[in-house]
């Protein structure tokens, strides 16, 4: 089914964006091929958009065919390493987390409550509370419009990084389904401060179900409720800086947290926004930084992309002026 002139404000969690020329629904290889054929005929690009939970769309009309995947079955099978769970791209990510937890399967419980679809999860290698998609990833199948074939990719071929993958670097292929390896026995990963605090307070987090529920609770205390607020979660990536720069910043801000990674020291931007710049709740026009987690940008009802861009650019500039750190957006632009 092909819809015409559909406002992106109805297709994204920011609730911002002008009309997309076409929106196609995909539930099979044939329907995805048909959407590409239509895009070629109209000489328009085609973009998959999932649940639109990580997209800032421009206010002007968007000359593209947007593809919404609707396939949503989940299948479990036993393997030598545990259990393989294979989910269609249109499945809600959190529905997959719940389906695994219901069977007592370990692996993705820390990723509970992340909005979006299974097909979008590998694009930015979703991560939270000490785990990321790449940790449980087995393989995925994607449709390549250039060869008109389905390709099966391993984790290495997906080139996962922090909020990064080959799909972000080389857009064009459409993820059709994703397989993960989950396990019947496992141990809780609760080292992340927000979760270890709950354990210290006496909570028993010993099943994927209990952890998933705790993570959803922590998230909802921190992040705006998508049914109430226009937002796309963390707007910027947490920056990674070199050790020298970190040491220098620490002289000025001795409490500045930093986590060593293979590429440098990762800094929680929320800490800088809060303690260096005092920007919790900072508002410009119709957009502001969320009080409980200033890395999250929120747009009022009726806000425009221009409002969000202005705030985001202003915040990036303030960070650069105060720390010399150049930050990158996590949310993807669509125009
Ligand atoms: N902090 C403050 N003041 C605040 C909030 C936070 O100083 O008001 C400091 C604290 O030191 C805190 C630190 O910032 O420990 C980090 O904050 P938090 O743990 O809330 O999360 P984050 O590191 O900013 C990342 C992901 C989130 C994910 C959380 C939990 C990115 C860009 N964001 O945020 O992912 O849920 O960790 O693991 O990596 C998303 O991608 O949309 C997303 C929500």
């Amino acid at each position: 089914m092909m819809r015409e002139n559909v406002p992106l404000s109805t297709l994204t969690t920011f609730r911002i964006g002008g009309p997309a020329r076409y929106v196609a629904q995909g539930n099979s290889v044939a329907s995805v091929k048909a959407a590409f054929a239509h895009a070629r005929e109209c000489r328009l690009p085609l973009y998959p958009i999932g649940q639109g939970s990580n997209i800032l769309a421009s206010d002007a009309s968007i000359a593209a065919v947007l593809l919404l995947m609707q396939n949503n079955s989940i299948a479990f099978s036993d393997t030598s390493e545990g259990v393989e769970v294979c989910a269609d791209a249109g499945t809600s990510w959190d529905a997959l987390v719940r389906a695994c937890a219901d069977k007592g399967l370990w692996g993705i419980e820390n990723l509970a409550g992340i909005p979006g679809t299974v097909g979008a999860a590998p694009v930015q290698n979703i991560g939270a509370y000490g785990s990321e998609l790449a940790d449980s990833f087995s393989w995925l199948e994607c449709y390549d419009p250039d060869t008109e074939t389905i390709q099966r990719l391993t984790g290495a071929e997906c080139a996962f990084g922090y909020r990064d993958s080959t799909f972000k670097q080389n857009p064009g292929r459409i993820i059709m389904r994703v397989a993960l390896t989950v396990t019947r026995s496992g141990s809780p990963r609760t080292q992340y401060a927000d979760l270890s605090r709950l354990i210290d307070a006496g909570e028993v987090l010993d099943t994927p179900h209990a952890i998933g529920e705790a993570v959803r609770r922590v998230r909802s205390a921190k992040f705006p409720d998508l049914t109430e607020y226009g937002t796309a979660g963390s707007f910027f990536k947490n920056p990674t800086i070199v050790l020298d720069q970190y040491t220098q910043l620490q002289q000025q801000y001795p409490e500045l947290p930093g986590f060593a990674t293979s590429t440098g020291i990762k800094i929680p931007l929320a800490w800088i926004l809060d303690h260096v710049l005092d920007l919790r709740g900072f508002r410009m026009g119709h957009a502001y930084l969320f009080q409980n987690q200033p890395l999250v940008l929120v747009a009022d009802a009726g806000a425009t992309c221009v409002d969000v861009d202005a705030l985001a650019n202003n915040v990036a500039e303030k960070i650069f002026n105060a720390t010399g750190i150049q930050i990158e957006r996590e949310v993807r632009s669509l125009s």
Side-chain angles (χ1 to χ4, degrees):
M1 197 184 89
M2 191 73 70
R3 290 184 287 156
E4 287 188 55
N5 298 319
V6 185
L8 261 291
S9 53
T10 63
L11 298 173
T12 59
T13 58
F14 250 134
R15 304 183 200 174
I16 284 176
R21 184 73 189 88
Y22 294 104
V23 174
Q25 293 184 349
N27 50 23
S28 60
V29 178
S31 56
V32 171
K33 275 188 180 172
F36 272 105
H38 183 77
R40 266 194 301 270
E41 231 167 73
C42 307
R43 295 173 190 280
L44 292 173
L46 181 148
Y47 307 119
I49 63 159
Q51 288 170 357
S53 55
N54 204 42
I55 291 176
L56 176 62
S58 76
D59 302 313
S61 54
I62 290 152
V65 176
L66 302 184
L67 178 62
L68 285 176
M69 294 303 290
Q70 308 276 294
N71 54 344
N72 62 0
S73 69
I74 301 177
F76 294 89
S77 54
D78 285 319
T79 69
S80 54
E81 287 162 60
V83 176
E84 186 173 270
V85 54
C86 182
D88 285 339
T91 312
S92 141
W93 171 261
D94 200 41
L96 176 61
V97 175
R98 285 181 197 279
C100 290
D102 285 350
K103 289 181 180 291
L105 295 168
W106 293 85
I108 55 174
E109 59 282 352
N110 289 32
L111 305 179
I114 297 183
T117 59
V118 165
V123 178
Q124 63 153 359
N125 182 22
I126 56 169
Y129 305 103
S131 58
E132 57 182 18
L133 179 84
D135 302 336
S136 316
F137 185 85
S138 189
W139 51 264
L140 63 74
E141 281 174 354
C142 57
Y143 175 75
D144 181 347
D146 295 336
T147 57
E148 300 190 338
T149 57
I150 293 284
Q151 298 174 345
R152 187 177 275 219
L153 268 56
T154 62
E157 287 164 332
C158 291
F160 291 125
Y162 168 56
R163 296 294 193 278
D164 201 19
S165 75
T166 181
F167 298 98
K168 219 165 176 179
Q169 299 300 326
N170 313 292
R173 289 166 291 179
I174 304 296
I175 296 172
M176 301 296 297
R177 55 184 187 144
V178 177
L180 308 175
T181 296
V182 286
T183 54
R184 290 190 198 284
S185 57
S187 42
R189 277 164 300 168
T190 48
Q191 68 282 13
Y192 205 89
D194 285 339
L195 296 180
S196 59
R197 226 172 276 138
L198 296 179
I199 293 181
D200 294 346
E203 268 197 53
V204 182
L205 301 182
D206 59 352
T207 62
H209 177 78
I211 295 172
E213 285 301 305
V215 166
R216 287 186 194 94
R217 224 177 330 121
V218 168
R219 289 186 68 93
S220 60
K222 217 182 243 191
F223 297 117
D225 179 352
L226 293 181
T227 62
E228 238 175 275
Y229 296 88
T231 184
S234 302
F235 192 85
F236 299 103
K237 289 184 181 184
N238 282 318
T240 298
I241 60 178
V242 296
L243 183 60
D244 271 1
Q245 192 180 7
Y246 178 61
T247 317
Q248 266 175 28
L249 283 170
Q250 261 192 326
Q251 282 165 10
Q252 221 177 334
Y253 310 106
E255 314 265 285
L256 175 67
F259 305 94
T261 72
S262 56
T263 49
I265 311 290
K266 193 151 125 189
I267 309 289
L269 204 50
W271 195 92
I272 294 179
L273 293 168
D274 185 2
H275 301 279
V276 176
L277 295 167
D278 195 20
L279 288 181
R280 283 167 56 152
F282 175 63
R283 173 181 276 277
M284 276 176 63
H286 293 294
Y288 61 98
L289 305 189
F290 197 58
Q291 186 69 28
N292 295 352
Q293 182 22 306
L295 189 53
V296 172
L297 263 70
V298 181
D300 292 336
T304 61
C305 179
V306 170
D307 289 321
V308 175
D309 268 334
L311 173 65
N313 292 340
N314 183 279
V315 166
E317 196 181 315
K318 284 192 161 85
I319 289 178
F320 182 73
N321 291 342
T323 64
I325 300 175
Q326 248 168 337
I327 58 170
E328 264 179 67
R329 291 183 179 194
E330 192 217 86
V331 168
R332 310 176 80 193
S333 291
L334 178 64
S335 57

